[in-house]
Amino acid sequence: MILITTNEEFISHPLIKQNTISRREYQENIFINCLNRNCLVVIPTGLGKTIIAIMLAVQRLTEIKDSKVILLAPTKPLVEQHYNSFLELTKLPEESLISLTGAITPEKRENLWADIKVAFMTPQVLQNDLISDLYSIKDISLVIFDECHRAVGDYAYCFIAKKYIDLSNNPQILGLTASPGSTEEKINEIKQNLFINHIEIRTEKDLDVKPYIHSVDNEWIKIKLPSEFLEIKKILEEKLKTCYKILKENDLIGSYDINKITRKDLLKLSNLINRRISTARDDEEKYQMFNAKKISANAIRLSHMTELIETQGVSALRDYFRKNEEKIKNNTANKSIKELFADKGFKQAKNLTYELYSKGLVHPKIEKLKVILTDQIIENPNSRILVFCHFRDSVNNIVKIFEQDDIIKMHKFVGQSTRGSDKGLTQKEQIKLLGEFKEGIYNTLVGTSVAEEGLDIEECDLVIFYDVVPSAIRSIQRRGRTGRKKEGKVFILVAEGTRDEGYYWAEKSKEKNMILSLEKIKNAESKSQSGQSNLLNFISSEKSEGIESRGKDNPDLNLIKKIEGANNYEIICDNRETASPVVRTLSLMGVALKLEQLSVADYVISERVGIERKSAKDFNDSIIDGRLFSELSELGENFPRSILILEGDPFQDSNINENALYGVITSIILNLGITIYKTENAIETAQFLYQLAKKEQTINKSSPKLRFDKAPIETSRLLEYIAAGIPGVNTLRAKNLLKELKTLQNIFLADIPDLTKIENIGKKIAQEIYKISRYKYKNDQ
């Protein structure tokens, strides 16, 4: 067994291809400091974080015999990138390095698992496999979380880390990121969620890193808006100011100065207005609040339109107008949109926009972009350029403008979602496109945020921000696409006197805070290691020993404990419910879960018990859009014991009249015969579901079965499906019966003694099979 203690040993290790990796002192230092620790590595982009991942993976595979490693990344192209790096740099057998994506069926993933040494996965795939208990992760000796700044809130990384720490015999975690967040609170949340006990930080100023940093020139290019744009902007801002005045008169905001009210302030108004509606003293006050709700909705729209004309241009604003006009034409627009588009002043702004579009005016940024791209490619024909846009409509408009250009060979790089006629790119198409970009078929990619994270395109020597995002994480990620293997340039296009400027300085401030926060955490850790401590660290450690929740919407998964014997009870969950913390909580409690695409119910406990779960907001929304009663009627038709779990308080922050809500609730109970059970949060919901399953399955001694789904097409599955329809026979027992007796005919002709010889088939179930197989059908109709 060869263990690595220095970089020299690493680059000459039998599992590493010779002459593929050069020695770098900082990588050795980080690696040594991460041994046998759960480590968060914060390192500038382009400094070989994959090498650190490979070093630690090889170490763990060597140190712990017959163990495996999992490497997680947020997107399939990034997963593929890591997979290729391991192929290129290690001597691990190719068949032991497997990229497991959602395109591979769960059954095939289960079969592949036995021979894997390193699995490359997206977190969503691993999360679903862990929930379904598809394979064991006891022998996983290392999980690598790439782009680990995502390990906050409900993101799958948090659940996976908790599950892994609970189940693995030899757990170790490595988190990798260039930008963990701008505050200590955010960084500490990542540390807590990934069970990090050591942090390694490198900046471009560190002595062991400096020799490997490639110069990246950053240039801020100011763009002056034409007078026609300013005229549209002025009209929109006047309308916005009118909205703010009404909201201020109703004590909903503190100022009507458009420079002091942010989009975030407006988004917060919805809950406040709903509370004021539910507590209104009379109809007049209620009317004012309903009017304020319309005004705040239009204020958000006007704020967005102002941003479009300032930072994106005429095409983007015109597209926004057309989408809303289509809604009005099809009678799918709400009242507030119709009122806004009927306003005389607003019509003037709209007509000016259409007039400018007909003249071919887009945004002065486009002219500057064309100059920059043309000069760059003429100077360096092998150049590769990434242009980043916040809005997908702008990506489409830019690509359309340059599609006939002889020098600039451009293609869009966007996410998978398709919106109407605007088709997204599948992850397979994204991988193919990146290959074509490297080969030079395209020299320019215009991308949204999907292109920001982790993509290692060493040929990229120029990055352009078409607009500015007020996020330190996203800006660092954008800039990190260049200067990886050679010097690079970054151009930031800023519309003068607009929110582009505000976003630029906000991002700079956040980035500065991030560096200060990292230094503070690093210094605190150094003091702690040298035997010193401080009061805040003491308080923090005391807190972690208690039971504390992060709040109703985001429960702390680290506080959920496994329940002894919970795996004896099975719950079928709709696979779309994995987006909620309920399924993850049930999994951490140890309940046996089966993910299915359910046509009725969110959870199935048994043949007679089906449950629909609704958050307070979804409950209110489903009343308004009319789907609540159809969903619950279908639930009642399929399950004799139908239950609605209402998570949260539907009366709080609701704009539905209190009496109307009571009317709906009483109708569900009295007219539909459905039981309503109220829970405070996801953890309470999970606990209630577990107790239901325990009670029901203890009484009936049977696992849940689905009988409202379509029968499977594959013949063997069809046989299992039919056999599992016998009372007391679940899927496992059906498989055992068919494995021994081969056919349904043999099962139904077997005697009771023969049936009881089969595993998990007791006398009672054998009698039931015997009785049903000989029962004469009676048609009572």
Side-chain angles (χ1 to χ4, degrees):
M1 181 173 72
I2 299 175
L3 294 181
I4 308 162
T5 55
T6 69
N7 204 294
E8 292 288 3
E9 291 172 358
F10 171 74
I11 60 178
S12 61
H13 193 280
L15 289 178
I16 299 298
K17 291 179 181 175
Q18 298 307 298
N19 304 317
T20 56
I21 299 172
S22 58
R23 181 174 184 180
R24 290 188 176 185
E25 186 184 351
Y26 70 89
Q27 290 174 345
E28 176 185 329
N29 294 337
I30 292 170
F31 167 70
I32 296 295
N33 291 335
C34 287
L35 288 175
N36 301 312
R37 288 163 147 177
N38 291 339
C39 195
L40 169 62
V41 175
V42 181
I43 186 170
T45 54
L47 289 180
K49 64 180 179 180
T50 304
I51 301 299
I52 296 165
I54 289 173
M55 291 172 81
L56 210 55
V58 167
Q59 171 77 5
R60 294 296 279 178
L61 291 172
T62 308
E63 181 183 10
I64 302 171
K65 193 180 176 185
D66 299 325
S67 70
K68 304 176 192 289
V69 169
I70 295 175
L71 194 155
L72 296 169
T75 64
K76 191 174 177 181
L78 200 45
V79 167
E80 207 68 21
Q81 188 173 287
H82 286 302
Y83 168 72
N84 288 328
S85 295
F86 271 71
L87 273 181
E88 290 166 14
L89 301 177
T90 75
K91 290 182 182 177
L92 290 163
E94 187 173 341
E95 61 273 15
S96 73
L97 303 174
I98 306 288
S99 176
L100 294 176
T101 65
I104 300 171
T105 64
E107 292 77 15
K108 193 172 180 182
R109 293 201 297 270
E110 184 180 8
N111 293 333
L112 288 168
W113 190 253
D115 299 322
I116 284 176
K117 292 305 288 181
V118 184
F120 304 85
M121 310 174 78
T122 57
Q124 289 75 20
V125 171
L126 180 57
Q127 175 179 264
N128 287 352
D129 288 354
L130 291 177
I131 288 168
S132 302
D133 199 21
L134 200 62
Y135 40 73
S136 171
I137 58 167
K138 285 183 178 179
D139 57 352
I140 303 297
S141 59
L142 176 68
V143 176
I144 301 162
F145 294 86
D146 191 24
E147 308 298 346
C148 70
H149 51 268
R150 288 176 171 249
V152 293
D154 275 344
Y155 194 68
Y157 275 178
C158 307
F159 166 77
I160 291 166
K162 167 67 174 165
K163 196 81 173 170
Y164 172 59
I165 291 293
D166 286 349
L167 296 178
S168 175
N169 293 328
N170 297 284
Q172 185 177 355
I173 285 171
L174 174 66
L176 300 169
T177 183
S179 46
S182 56
T183 65
E184 278 187 82
E185 184 183 11
K186 179 79 178 288
I187 298 165
N188 282 326
E189 185 183 349
I190 294 165
K191 286 180 66 180
Q192 180 184 341
N193 289 340
L194 295 184
F195 300 88
I196 299 298
N197 49 34
H198 176 68
I199 185 166
E200 279 289 313
I201 301 164
R202 292 296 185 279
T203 68
E204 295 173 356
K205 294 178 182 178
D206 284 311
L207 294 176
D208 58 352
V209 166
K210 265 187 177 181
Y212 307 100
I213 295 291
H214 297 284
S215 172
V216 176
D217 292 330
N218 290 273
E219 188 176 340
W220 180 16
I221 300 173
K222 283 194 173 186
I223 309 287
K224 199 175 180 70
L225 290 182
S227 58
E228 297 93 334
F229 279 45
L230 295 174
E231 189 177 349
I232 294 169
K233 181 172 179 268
K234 185 182 176 183
I235 296 168
L236 293 174
E237 286 182 342
E238 282 173 358
K239 293 294 164 195
L240 185 57
K241 196 169 185 177
T242 302
C243 290
Y244 287 173
K245 281 182 177 178
I246 296 169
L247 294 173
K248 186 177 184 299
E249 285 167 7
N250 284 281
D251 296 322
L252 293 166
I253 55 176
S255 170
Y256 55 80
D257 185 341
I258 57 171
N259 296 315
K260 290 182 180 178
I261 304 298
T262 66
R263 189 89 50 83
K264 195 178 284 186
D265 294 328
L266 294 173
L267 292 169
K268 287 177 183 175
L269 283 182
S270 180
N271 286 344
L272 175 59
I273 293 171
N274 285 342
R275 276 199 299 272
R276 294 272 295 271
I277 290 171
S278 62
T279 58
R281 291 164 294 183
D282 51 45
D283 289 343
E284 177 60 28
E285 186 180 349
K286 194 170 286 187
Y287 170 79
Q288 286 178 348
M289 287 302 104
F290 275 116
N291 187 54
K293 199 171 182 69
K294 287 192 298 181
I295 297 295
S296 68
N298 280 337
I300 292 168
R301 294 185 185 105
L302 287 163
S303 175
H304 177 63
M305 288 182 239
T306 308
E307 181 174 1
L308 289 179
I309 192 64
E310 284 181 344
T311 67
Q312 308 300 312
V314 169
S315 295
L317 183 57
R318 175 246 190 191
D319 288 346
Y320 184 78
F321 286 148
R322 287 185 70 182
K323 284 175 189 174
N324 282 290
E325 284 177 323
E326 193 66 27
K327 286 180 184 177
I328 293 168
K329 184 181 174 182
N330 295 331
N331 205 28
T332 57
N334 59 38
K335 196 175 179 181
S336 58
I337 294 176
K338 291 175 181 176
E339 288 181 3
L340 179 64
F341 273 68
D343 180 87
K344 187 179 177 182
F346 182 81
K347 281 182 179 177
Q348 187 185 351
K350 182 164 67 73
N351 292 337
L352 276 170
T353 302
Y354 280 116
E355 187 182 326
L356 294 179
Y357 180 81
S358 66
K359 291 178 181 177
L361 219 63
V362 183
H363 196 289
K365 284 184 181 181
I366 290 290
E367 296 162 24
K368 190 65 185 176
L369 181 64
K370 186 176 176 63
V371 171
I372 293 169
L373 293 175
T374 305
D375 290 351
Q376 177 73 15
I377 294 165
I378 289 172
E379 185 181 330
N380 179 10
N382 295 320
S383 188
R384 299 290 184 275
I385 304 160
L386 279 172
V387 181
F388 286 105
C389 286
H390 183 57
F391 297 103
R392 190 149 138 182
D393 284 346
S394 293
V395 170
N396 293 330
N397 287 327
I398 292 168
V399 171
K400 191 175 179 181
I401 289 165
F402 286 93
E403 64 186 354
Q404 301 300 325
D405 199 288
D406 294 329
I407 297 172
I408 304 158
K409 299 167 188 173
M410 186 179 282
H411 201 288
K412 71 176 183 179
F413 191 87
V414 297
Q416 298 180 75
S417 62
T418 295
R419 303 163 189 170
S421 59
D422 178 20
K423 287 190 174 180
L425 296 174
T426 66
Q427 292 190 330
K428 193 174 181 180
E429 288 171 329
Q430 290 171 7
I431 292 167
K432 181 173 180 281
L433 183 55
L434 287 173
E436 291 171 341
F437 183 57
K438 288 184 178 185
E439 290 169 23
I441 295 171
Y442 301 104
N443 54 31
T444 306
L445 292 183
V446 186
T448 52
S449 58
V450 75
E452 291 171 358
E453 275 186 335
L455 297 177
D456 187 8
I457 306 164
E458 59 186 62
E459 297 85 359
C460 181
D461 50 3
L462 174 61
V463 165
I464 300 169
F465 289 30
Y466 186 77
D467 46 29
V468 187
V469 286
S471 161
I473 290 175
R474 290 185 61 190
S475 290
I476 290 167
Q477 293 290 345
R478 281 184 174 190
R479 292 200 307 270
R481 297 317 103 212
T482 190
R484 299 175 81 85
K485 304 293 181 185
K486 56 184 177 181
E487 291 184 354
K489 289 184 286 188
V490 174
F491 289 135
I492 304 165
L493 306 184
V494 180
E496 198 173 346
T498 70
R499 65 193 71 200
D500 264 349
E501 285 189 352
Y503 287 169
Y504 179 83
W505 293 114
E507 185 279 318
K508 285 293 169 196
S509 174
K510 288 176 183 177
E511 200 170 324
K512 187 178 177 182
N513 285 340
M514 185 181 78
I515 294 165
L516 291 172
S517 297
L518 285 169
E519 286 300 323
K520 203 170 177 182
I521 290 169
K522 192 176 180 180
N523 292 336
E525 190 175 285
S526 298
K527 284 181 183 178
S528 177
Q529 287 169 357
S530 63
Q532 297 179 38
S533 188
N534 59 46
L535 183 59
L536 286 175
N537 285 341
F538 174 76
I539 292 168
S540 177
S541 65
E542 286 289 301
K543 264 188 180 180
S544 66
E545 292 172 10
I547 300 297
E548 190 173 302
S549 174
R550 291 181 193 167
K552 288 189 287 186
D553 298 326
N554 186 20
D556 188 348
L557 296 181
N558 295 337
L559 302 176
I560 299 161
K561 303 298 179 188
K562 190 171 181 179
I563 299 170
E564 194 68 37
N567 62 335
N568 293 325
Y569 309 105
E570 184 182 56
I571 298 175
I572 299 173
C573 312
D574 185 78
N575 55 22
R576 288 159 292 193
E577 279 287 296
T578 56
S580 85
V582 175
V583 175
R584 297 194 286 269
T585 302
L586 286 166
S587 178
L588 292 171
M589 289 164 66
V591 178
L593 300 176
K594 188 177 180 184
L595 296 180
E596 298 277 357
Q597 180 88 37
L598 299 182
S599 57
V600 181
D602 292 324
Y603 302 92
V604 176
I605 300 294
S606 69
E607 276 189 317
R608 68 176 193 147
V609 182
I611 298 109
E612 184 78 18
R613 181 191 75 93
K614 290 203 176 291
S615 66
K617 184 180 183 304
D618 188 33
F619 181 75
N620 286 336
D621 289 346
S622 63
I623 293 170
I624 294 166
D625 62 29
R627 61 191 157 87
L628 178 67
F629 282 97
S630 61
E631 288 175 353
L632 294 181
S633 294
E634 206 170 349
L635 183 73
E637 287 166 10
N638 282 277
F639 296 97
R641 295 286 184 270
S642 298
I643 300 168
L644 169 65
I645 294 179
L646 193 47
E647 198 174 283
D649 186 355
F651 293 93
Q652 188 178 343
D653 302 334
S654 174
N655 60 352
I656 300 176
N657 181 277
E658 187 177 284
N659 290 330
L661 275 175
Y662 275 123
V664 170
I665 291 168
T666 52
S667 292
I668 292 169
I669 297 167
L670 299 176
N671 298 343
L672 298 181
I674 290 173
T675 301
I676 298 178
Y677 184 83
K678 186 180 174 301
T679 63
E680 190 67 24
N681 53 38
I683 291 180
E684 275 191 23
T685 300
Q687 287 171 339
F688 177 62
L689 287 169
Y690 162 67
Q691 293 296 339
L692 269 179
K694 185 179 178 183
K695 189 76 171 178
E696 175 70 3
Q697 292 169 24
T698 301
I699 294 168
N700 293 325
K701 305 284 185 187
S702 65
S703 297
K705 296 193 292 289
L706 302 179
R707 306 307 299 172
F708 49 82
D709 278 350
K710 289 181 182 177
I713 295 168
E714 205 270 308
T715 308
S716 291
R717 300 286 85 79
L718 181 60
L719 296 179
E720 291 172 11
Y721 180 83
I722 294 168
I726 302 166
V729 177
N730 57 21
T731 305
L732 178 63
R733 290 187 179 116
K735 285 180 178 178
N736 291 342
L737 284 164
L738 288 162
K739 190 176 178 182
E740 293 297 324
L741 300 174
K742 307 303 181 189
T743 68
L744 289 174
Q745 184 182 30
N746 290 342
I747 293 171
F748 292 133
L749 292 176
D751 291 325
I752 291 171
D754 293 328
L755 290 168
T756 56
K757 291 176 184 175
I758 294 166
E759 187 182 356
N760 286 326
I761 304 296
K763 189 176 179 181
K764 189 176 177 182
I765 293 173
Q767 288 172 339
E768 191 69 32
I769 296 169
Y770 187 88
K771 185 177 77 174
I772 282 179
S773 66
R774 288 153 179 82
Y775 187 82
K776 288 184 179 179
Y777 173 67
K778 293 176 184 177
N779 186 357
D780 296 327
Q781 293 182 345

